[in-house]
Amino acid sequence: MYARDNVAGASDLQEQPPGGREVEAAVEMLRMLGDGTRLRLMWLLSDGEHDVTALVAAVGMARPAVSQHLGKLRLAGLVSVRREGRRALYRARGGHVRRLVAEVLHAAEHRVTGAPEHD
């Protein structure tokens, strides 16, 4: 069920809310995306694989800082990494994560530009 499909009614309140583990995982994911640098990195990684050098150039930060952010994103399960020789290639992990990043940035764009909301 999607939020847009939910029409307020008494029967809707009988549906069970998400369990504790799911809520904890969601909070951790949102906490990681709550940092501007990590959100920018996730936006870049949602488009495909990138190595640290390319990400450093794109966000304009020092390599150790970018590496630290990538490590946190990886531990949170938002980023996957694969090796290609000596290079580590990072990418957003899965469609849910890519859509989450896209949706939050689209919502922010509507808020900043004043564009009308839509369902």
Side-chain angles (χ1 to χ4, degrees):
M1 173 181 273
Y2 293 96
R4 67 179 176 266
D5 297 332
N6 190 13
V7 177
S11 63
D12 294 333
L13 296 177
Q14 294 179 12
E15 190 173 321
Q16 291 296 315
R21 290 178 60 198
E22 289 85 3
V23 169
E24 286 177 29
V27 167
E28 179 61 22
M29 293 169 78
L30 292 171
R31 186 179 296 124
M32 287 294 111
L33 294 176
D35 177 90
T37 299
R38 289 194 289 267
L39 186 56
R40 284 181 186 92
L41 289 170
M42 290 302 301
W43 181 81
L44 292 165
L45 295 172
S46 292
D47 189 40
E49 291 182 321
H50 300 284
D51 64 10
V52 176
T53 302
L55 294 170
V56 164
V59 296
M61 292 184 68
R63 186 180 192 90
V66 170
S67 293
Q68 186 177 33
H69 284 297
L70 289 169
K72 288 179 180 182
L73 291 167
R74 190 169 158 218
L75 285 173
L78 296 172
V79 167
S80 61
V81 62
R82 75 175 181 87
R83 295 273 177 199
E84 189 175 86
R86 296 183 64 167
R87 289 178 46 204
L89 296 168
Y90 294 86
R91 76 175 299 131
R93 178 177 236 143
H96 289 295
V97 171
R98 288 190 299 274
R99 284 189 297 278
L100 175 63
V101 170
E103 285 297 323
V104 75
L105 288 170
H106 285 117
E109 180 181 11
H110 279 259
R111 185 173 182 181
V112 169
T113 64
E117 294 294 328
H118 53 84
D119 290 330

